[in-house]
Amino acid sequence: MDDVVMERLAESHLADVVRIERESFAAPWTESMFRQEVEETWLSRSFVAVLDGRVVGYIIAWFLRGEVHILNLAVAPGHQRRGIGRRMLDHVIDLAEDGMHHLATLEVRASNEPAKLLYVTTGFAPVGIRRRYYRDNDEDAIVMVKRLGERKKP
């Protein structure tokens, strides 16, 4: 997916990000939640994937004290299964490793098989369960972790 460009999440992306969020999740984040990620740059390093001038995905990540926490990742339904989610995840992990972070964490719905497959194939491993984590239906979240700094340097 060489045509995809990663850009820092900005105010100008919010309408597209909120649209993708609503298309992707039963309990979507609000525009104000995404706006906070744009404003809180000391913590949030969030990005959009742009293809042919259109936002087709986004990833929200917090970088703090040697760790990166992936809060949200989505790809527009018409662009899924093309490697865009993997590209965004790799981008954030590369930034974390370059910044000497040692751990990446996330939660994923227990029923979200495509997301779990993406995370496992990018080196995340399940380490626990947060019972009734999702408020819309009390679904459990699988906690996943990836150790950083272990990639092979050329």
Side-chain angles (χ1 to χ4, degrees):
M1 187 72 3
D2 292 335
D3 297 343
V4 172
V5 176
M6 299 300 297
E7 295 181 10
R8 188 78 182 245
L9 177 64
E11 179 88 20
S12 61
H13 301 127
L14 290 180
D16 290 328
V17 167
V18 169
R19 176 185 45 79
I20 294 168
E21 175 78 0
R22 289 180 180 153
E23 293 172 347
S24 301
F25 300 111
W29 282 25
T30 64
E31 182 176 336
S32 64
M33 293 168 80
F34 286 107
R35 187 175 310 284
Q36 186 173 353
E37 299 305 319
V38 171
E39 295 169 358
E40 299 291 338
T41 57
W42 65 273
L43 175 64
S44 180
R45 292 193 204 148
S46 301
F47 300 89
V48 293
V50 178
L51 178 64
D52 298 327
R54 289 198 49 170
V55 174
V56 296
Y58 61 86
I59 185 167
I60 308 298
W62 288 356
F63 287 66
L64 187 64
R65 295 189 178 111
E67 296 183 15
V68 59
H69 184 68
I70 310 298
L71 284 89
N72 199 338
L73 183 154
V75 176
H79 295 276
Q80 293 174 356
R81 311 276 189 274
R82 298 182 187 180
I84 295 169
R86 182 176 306 275
R87 176 92 178 265
M88 292 187 297
L89 191 56
D90 286 347
H91 180 74
V92 167
I93 295 300
D94 286 347
L95 288 175
E97 289 186 322
D98 290 346
M100 305 303 287
H101 291 75
H102 63 277
L103 194 68
T105 62
L106 58 85
E107 292 90 11
V108 61
R109 283 183 186 266
S111 65
N112 192 340
E113 295 301 327
K116 290 190 302 187
L117 180 61
L118 169 65
Y119 300 137
V120 166
T121 60
T122 54
F124 283 83
V127 295
I129 296 174
R130 295 194 198 285
R131 299 276 178 219
R132 302 177 67 188
Y133 182 79
Y134 293 98
R135 293 184 181 179
D136 63 319
N137 65 357
D138 287 334
E139 184 173 358
D140 294 346
I142 307 298
V143 179
M144 301 187 83
V145 172
K146 175 182 172 110
R147 295 220 177 276
L148 305 180
E150 298 172 357
R151 68 180 174 183
K152 305 267 189 271
K153 303 259 180 185

